[in-house]
Amino acid sequence: MKNKILKCISTIDYFDKDFYNAIDIGVEIQDFTEPSLLDSGWKETVEKYKESLQDFSNTLSIHGPFLDLKPISPDRTIKEASINRYITTLNIGEKLNADYIVFHSQINPWINDPILKSLNNNLSRKFWVEILEKVEDFKGTILIENVFEDDPVLLKELIDTIDLPNIKVCLDIGHAKLRDDIEYWINVLKENIEYIHLHWNRGVYDEHLKPSCANFLYVKELLKKYEISPYIALEYDLCNRCNGDGSFCIEEAIEIFNE
């Protein structure tokens, strides 16, 4: 069972196309999470990426904005601002021919009234149907990432309600680890997990630490146990190549997951 590896980058300066092609990995672009860039300069950044991505044939993913967004808000101004952010990101994905775009779930776990939960999930389905009709030229897959939810059932209910073939789950391992046992999250969401954000923490806050070899092997065994083979995006600082300083390099991740 082989898992395609991607590396998350915060800016274009960290994209080494020749190296990525040589070791056959993809890239997740995270520049466009920045509100200031989406206010001004995103078009120029897209053009730089288009130039840099020429002759790059591996998986391309984009992380969308997430701060303070609520596209199903009852407040019309907040709703319109959020929808504009989503539309901009989908247009960026179309221009770069991205395979995936990651958005946070925006689930509020404190909303536990069954009627309100059902209403929110149905409004989310309506939102996704409408927005994908508006940006119909984006042909990739939307990934919904867990963040604040304290139980994977909340995300499963959302995905099941949206029920669109091009909307899947990005399981963020670090976020899941803060809430409950990782295996529980994988077990509940396994049928919908298309993609993973892999990083680690000490169980207190979202540190985005490098996983140890033991951590990698644990995740690998869980994926094998539940017979899923998602794309794996390494979402922590790491060196491109082994340089003797103890950093966990990309080649080691590839070796563990693809052996």
Side-chain angles (χ1 to χ4, degrees):
M1 184 182 296
K2 291 190 176 182
N3 306 82
K4 188 73 172 183
I5 303 295
L6 298 88
K7 181 184 177 188
C8 299
I9 60 171
S10 56
T11 71
I12 195 170
D13 296 331
Y14 292 96
F15 180 52
D16 185 342
K17 179 179 66 178
D18 292 338
F19 176 65
Y20 283 33
N21 279 335
I23 63 173
D24 192 28
I25 66 167
V27 62
E28 180 181 310
I29 296 169
Q30 297 193 339
D31 305 47
F32 303 108
T33 63
E34 293 296 326
S36 58
L37 180 60
L38 293 177
D39 284 337
S40 177
W42 68 265
K43 293 181 180 179
E44 292 80 2
T45 301
V46 167
E47 291 305 311
K48 291 178 181 177
Y49 269 114
K50 286 174 69 174
E51 183 177 351
S52 295
L53 288 164
Q54 290 182 18
D55 302 319
F56 182 71
S57 58
N58 293 331
T59 305
L60 173 63
S61 180
I62 295 171
H63 199 308
F66 56 87
L67 290 173
D68 303 322
L69 299 182
K70 189 173 182 181
I72 60 168
S73 174
D75 186 314
R76 182 178 299 177
T77 301
I78 292 173
K79 179 178 179 178
E80 289 177 353
S82 300
I83 288 174
N84 285 338
R85 289 298 200 216
Y86 279 71
I87 288 175
T88 297
T89 308
L90 287 165
N91 283 326
I92 291 170
E94 184 272 324
K95 293 178 186 300
L96 295 179
N97 196 27
D99 300 291
Y100 295 103
I101 298 180
V102 182
F103 291 106
H104 286 184
S105 69
Q106 309 299 342
I107 290 173
N108 181 350
W110 289 98
I111 297 177
N112 54 16
D113 181 314
I115 294 175
L116 287 179
K117 286 200 298 183
S118 177
L119 175 62
N120 281 346
N121 288 342
N122 283 301
L123 287 174
S124 291
R125 172 177 166 78
K126 182 174 183 289
F127 160 72
W128 282 112
V129 169
E130 291 177 352
I131 199 171
L132 290 175
E133 287 177 351
K134 289 181 180 178
V135 192
E136 60 184 11
D137 289 335
F138 174 68
K139 305 303 182 185
T141 297
I142 302 296
L143 300 167
I144 307 297
E145 175 186 343
N146 58 298
V147 185
F148 299 122
E149 49 268 61
D150 52 10
D151 193 313
V153 171
L154 298 175
L155 183 53
K156 177 173 172 51
E157 290 174 346
L158 173 63
I159 294 295
D160 287 347
T161 302
I162 294 173
D163 192 26
L164 294 174
N166 56 340
I167 296 187
K168 300 291 184 180
V169 167
C170 167
L171 176 61
D172 189 293
I173 295 293
H175 298 166
K177 185 176 182 297
L178 287 172
R179 308 299 175 193
D180 211 322
D181 179 70
I182 294 170
E183 181 170 3
Y184 175 53
W185 285 77
I186 293 176
N187 184 26
V188 171
L189 295 168
K190 56 184 178 291
E191 295 176 356
N192 299 113
I193 298 172
E194 176 89 4
Y195 192 100
I196 279 177
H197 274 161
L198 184 53
H199 54 97
W200 217 254
N201 59 65
R202 287 167 282 198
V204 179
Y205 62 93
D206 191 21
E207 298 173 273
H208 281 254
L209 300 176
K210 300 182 185 75
S212 68
C213 183
N215 300 150
F216 267 84
L217 291 172
Y218 174 61
V219 173
K220 177 184 178 179
E221 287 305 309
L222 289 177
L223 299 182
K224 181 179 179 181
K225 177 178 179 179
Y226 291 99
E227 299 181 330
I228 59 174
S229 184
Y231 288 77
I232 297 175
L234 308 177
E235 198 178 25
Y236 54 89
D237 290 336
L238 75 174
C239 61
N240 276 349
R241 300 172 175 83
C242 294
N243 56 13
D245 67 353
S247 298
F248 200 102
C249 72
I250 296 174
E251 289 99 325
E252 288 174 305
I254 294 171
E255 181 178 356
I256 286 177
F257 281 104
N258 290 347
E259 64 182 3

